[in-house]
Amino acid sequence: VPIPGDNLRINPDRLWDTIHELAEIGPGVAGGNNRQTLTDDDKKGRELFKKWCDASNLTMGVDKMGTMFMRREGADPALDPVYVGSHLDTQPTGGRYDGVLGVLSGLELVRTLDDLGIRTRRPIVVVNWTNEEGARFAPAMLASGVFAGIHTLEYAYGRKDPEGKTFGDELRRIGWVGEEEVGARRMHAYFEYHIEQGPILEAENKEIGVVTHGQGLWWLEFTLIGKEAHTGSTPMAMRVNAGLAMARILEMVQEVAMDNQPGAVGGVGQVFFRPNSRNVLPGTVVFTVDIRSPEQPKLDGMRARIETEAPKIAEALGVRCSVEPVGHFDPVTFDPALVARVRKAAEDLGYTHMNIISGAGHDACWMQRVTPSVMIMCPCVDGLSHNEAESISKEWAAAGADVLLRAVLETAEIVE
Ligand code: HGY
Ligand code: MN
Ligand code: MN
């Protein structure tokens, strides 16, 4: 069925205002957001999103991981729906657009269809996945991972935050344990619209990223055991210095990533020292190495080299070393037919576009295992993300949402 009016577009001001109204919940300290998963702010954000969905007559389903599924009925309710999702949880120093743009563009898509009186054959479901970020509870994309059968519900419920609180207790505390079995829903297709979180689209002056692949990831959690001792009175030769071992391992990770250029990254974002006192050498150092590549051999080769060299570095200092993978997904290839549909939508709408590989992980990376999936990206200023200064323009936001609307309509099929 042809799409009526080639200039079918969303309402940019309404999308922009909706994004910034949500941004008032869980504000950061520098203009961004700290709305971490399963916090009271996450609860408030969920409630505001639900209020908006209620106003658009969407019916809500919630599964046992607290993921929110907001359904717009189709002319043929028995058909598998088209899903449009992302996440509303943020990093502790997150931006206003990471995840939020995709969920609220799904809501804007619904609002636009209602404005235009368009009915689709297939139902459309807008999704807010619980704990995409993996900042408070590792791993990232936890709820979509359970949905895709990667993790069990028990594993997810047992994950602990740095204060020792469990995912299950916190989900119960905010009152968002749903009835649905996780993964029971059948999907016809899954779309995710997201900011690029990298510099390529802006540098290439392209409005739309047609995401063909997502790079793979390992999160390797290292535990180094040294010896707590006085930083003043302990002679250098007597030290069992876990902090020094960590520093040398970080240098090695940098070297491994640089040896695998182009198309590889490696680094560390989180370190815990115990007892973390200025004048006590750490007895324990725990940190997570984050390595990624779109190429499977590079990804696995980097992991193997790091896990071989790190113990040697530690042993040379008398430090004990253990490592546990706490996050992983292989490079993902999104559905070629849907990728072509996204590209065509960008062309029909007259937006500049290019193929791109997602540097960040997304719920779509797990969804591709259960249904044909694809992502759409918009540029972000200086490629900056996971930083409160994360910024996009209203025009960029709207362009990607227009492409999302068109590609979803082609998939859900207009009936009138
Ligand atoms: O880590 C990631 O790539 C995502 O932002 N959770
Ligand atoms: Mn995200
Ligand atoms: Mn993120």
Side-chain angles (χ1 to χ4, degrees), residues 9-17 108 112 115 398 402 405:
R9 295 175 193 274
I10 56 101
N11 178 329
D13 294 330
R14 183 172 56 191
L15 173 59
W16 198 248
D17 293 348
E108 175 54 32
T112 300
D115 291 346
D402 285 340
L405 171 64

Side-chain angles (χ1 to χ4, degrees), residues 86-91 97-100 132-133 141 192-195 197 360-363 375 385-386 390:
S86 199
H87 61 94
L88 297 179
D89 66 308
T90 75
Q91 287 286 334
Y97 309 104
D98 173 359
V100 169
E132 186 282 339
E133 290 293 356
M141 294 98 77
E192 182 156 358
Y193 174 33
H194 205 287
I195 61 171
Q197 300 183 292
H362 301 285
D363 295 307
M375 293 190 74
S385 184
H386 285 194
E390 180 183 276

